[in-house]
């Protein structure tokens, strides 16, 4: 899939340009389920309910995205969907692709919805309390803020300016300015493509100061998956250093999607050592995808 990266400056200027990254059904599944599980837990009051909702979202996405010769293709049947259905799918696609791009381009293994961190937000200015979509920390422990969007047509300059203003509303995270405040636009076309853009701020309306505890951040990110794996132990399977549990049946392939976590992460939480986990090597095969966050997805029989 082609990604256009533009308007990054300073030490990030080197990532500007046209890139091509591989997206597979399993890597898309991983991105879609990890970017939303915590926010659904906050909204629904239950990690297991949030997991069920996230799986529903993922399975819906896989019906409107086809994979062909390394490209993501929009099937013609998508046009027959109701506009309200397209709106929901577009939101989910935008979030999932933002998670993928954050990992592949900015080296951010974990992203959380800012709204799920509401108890850690300090409102510096009065007025609108709208917040950007996502926040995460990269391999160098620098914070990044991202606004995720998806459109079937190219947006206007007014839209783009509004997205940058939204991402730019975060003035500081734990006392330091974010390394980047970007927006990630997924174009729902055949083939799909993505733009990652971080233009200079054109306003001084930054109004949010986040004070994020790394321990609270990682607990929020991993908790739904840890609770999922803690249910019905007879279904657990251990393959090497990863613990799996069946999550969803795929009627299109006749296979079962399984979700897993590298055991080291489980051990850390059991010892209440919720410090910043070391980053894990990504692995992508026909049957298993292991993300840099240590969460795995695989096909089972």
């Amino acid at each position: 899939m082609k990604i256009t990266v533009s308007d990054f400056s300073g030490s990030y200027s080197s990532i500007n340009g046209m890139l091509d990254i591989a997206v597979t059904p399993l890597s898309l599944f991983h991105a879609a389920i990890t970017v939303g599980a915590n926010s659904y837990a906050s909204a629904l009051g239950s990690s297991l309910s949030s997991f069920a909702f996230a799986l529903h979202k993922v399975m819906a996405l896989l019906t409107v995205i086809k994979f062909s010769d390394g490209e993501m293709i929009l099937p013609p049947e998508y046009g027959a969907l109701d506009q309200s259905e397209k709106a929901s799918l577009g939101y989910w696609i935008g979030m999932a692709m933002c998670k993928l791009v954050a990992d592949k381009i900015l080296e951010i293994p974990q992203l959380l919805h800012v709204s799920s961190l509401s108890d850690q937000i300090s409102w510096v200015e009065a007025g609108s309390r709208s917040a950007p979509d996502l926040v995460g920390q990269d391999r160098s422990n620098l914070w990044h803020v991202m606004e995720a969007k998806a459109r079937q047509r190219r947006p206007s300059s007014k839209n783009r300016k509004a997205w940058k203003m939204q991402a730019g509303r975060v003035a500081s995270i734990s006392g330091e300015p974010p390394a980047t405040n970007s927006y990630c636009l997924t174009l729902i076309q055949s083939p799909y493509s993505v733009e990652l853009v971080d233009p200079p701020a054109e306003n001084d309306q930054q109004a949010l100061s986040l004070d994020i505890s790394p321990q609270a951040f990682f607990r929020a990110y991993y908790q739904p998956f840890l609770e999922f794996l803690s249910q019905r132990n007879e279904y657990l399977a251990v393959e090497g250093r990863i613990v799996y549990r069946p999550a969803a049946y795929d009627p299109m392939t006749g296979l079962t999607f399984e979700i897993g976590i590298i055991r080291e992460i489980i051990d850390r939480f059991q010892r209440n050592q919720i410090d910043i986990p070391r980053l894990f090597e990504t692995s992508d095969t026909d049957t298993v995808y292991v993300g840099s966050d240590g969460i795995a997805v695989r096909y089972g029989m």
Side-chain angles (χ1 to χ4, degrees):
M1 183 185 64
K2 289 182 172 51
I3 301 175
T4 303
V5 183
S6 62
D7 293 333
F8 283 78
S9 58
S11 61
Y12 291 91
S13 60
S14 61
I15 69 174
N16 291 326
M18 181 75 74
L19 305 172
D20 210 339
I21 67 170
V23 181
T24 63
L26 287 178
S27 67
L28 179 66
F29 189 108
H30 173 276
I33 201 167
T34 54
V35 77
N38 171 259
S39 66
Y40 300 135
S42 298
L44 300 173
S46 163
S47 290
L48 292 181
S49 295
S50 76
F51 217 83
F53 190 86
L55 287 168
H56 158 77
K57 171 187 69 174
V58 172
M59 299 305 293
L61 290 186
L62 292 176
T63 66
V64 295
I65 297 174
K66 305 300 180 185
F67 295 85
S68 176
D69 297 327
E71 298 283 5
M72 289 172 52
I73 305 299
L74 181 67
E77 294 81 10
Y78 179 85
L81 292 173
D82 183 83
Q83 189 58 41
S84 60
E85 294 170 324
K86 291 180 182 178
S88 294
L89 288 165
Y91 175 76
W92 294 339
I93 289 169
M95 287 289 176
M97 297 311 296
C98 187
K99 175 64 161 62
L100 269 171
V101 168
D103 189 6
K104 302 294 186 182
I105 307 301
L106 295 174
E107 298 187 329
I108 303 171
Q110 301 93 0
L111 277 179
L112 283 180
H113 285 255
V114 173
S115 60
S116 69
L117 301 168
S118 58
D119 59 339
Q120 300 181 52
I121 296 177
S122 172
W123 300 94
V124 177
E125 298 179 7
S128 172
R129 292 198 169 191
S130 63
D133 289 324
L134 302 162
V135 63
Q137 209 170 18
D138 66 18
R139 294 173 183 267
S140 300
N141 298 332
L142 298 175
W143 290 101
H144 299 258
V145 179
M146 304 185 76
E147 185 76 2
K149 299 295 178 183
R151 294 288 187 275
Q152 284 192 268
R153 298 178 179 83
R154 293 192 175 276
S156 66
S157 58
K158 181 179 179 180
N159 291 145
R160 293 176 181 273
K161 183 177 180 179
W163 298 341
K164 174 60 184 184
M165 287 178 64
Q166 188 78 346
R169 294 200 68 225
V170 175
S172 67
I173 301 178
S174 300
E176 297 291 334
T180 65
N181 298 75
S182 62
Y183 66 83
C184 181
L185 167 65
T186 300
L187 290 170
I188 305 175
Q189 300 173 350
S190 242
Y192 282 75
S193 62
V194 174
E195 297 178 18
L196 180 63
V197 189
D198 186 23
E202 296 183 8
N203 65 89
D204 57 358
Q205 298 178 9
Q206 294 176 326
L208 302 181
S209 175
L210 310 185
D211 186 15
I212 302 177
S213 157
Q215 289 76 19
F217 181 90
F218 287 110
R219 183 182 291 279
Y221 185 85
Y222 288 106
Q223 195 63 39
F225 298 93
L226 294 168
E227 291 188 14
F228 173 73
L229 286 177
S230 70
Q231 305 296 311
R232 304 294 295 271
N233 289 340
E234 64 266 31
Y235 294 127
L236 295 181
V238 180
E239 295 289 339
R241 58 179 183 152
I242 301 175
V243 180
Y244 290 98
R245 182 181 174 220
Y249 172 73
D250 182 359
M252 293 186 291
T253 64
L255 300 174
T256 300
F257 283 108
E258 298 180 335
I259 305 296
I261 303 180
I262 289 178
R263 185 184 292 275
E264 178 184 337
I265 296 173
I266 299 174
D267 293 342
R268 283 177 181 267
F269 276 82
Q270 288 177 341
R271 296 193 302 266
N272 204 32
Q273 293 178 343
I274 312 172
D275 52 353
I276 299 174
R278 69 179 178 83
L279 300 166
F280 302 95
E281 182 178 353
T282 299
S283 174
D284 195 353
T285 71
D286 290 340
T287 57
V288 179
Y289 180 86
V290 182
S292 61
D293 56 2
I295 293 175
V297 181
R298 74 170 180 174
Y299 282 124
M301 297 303 293

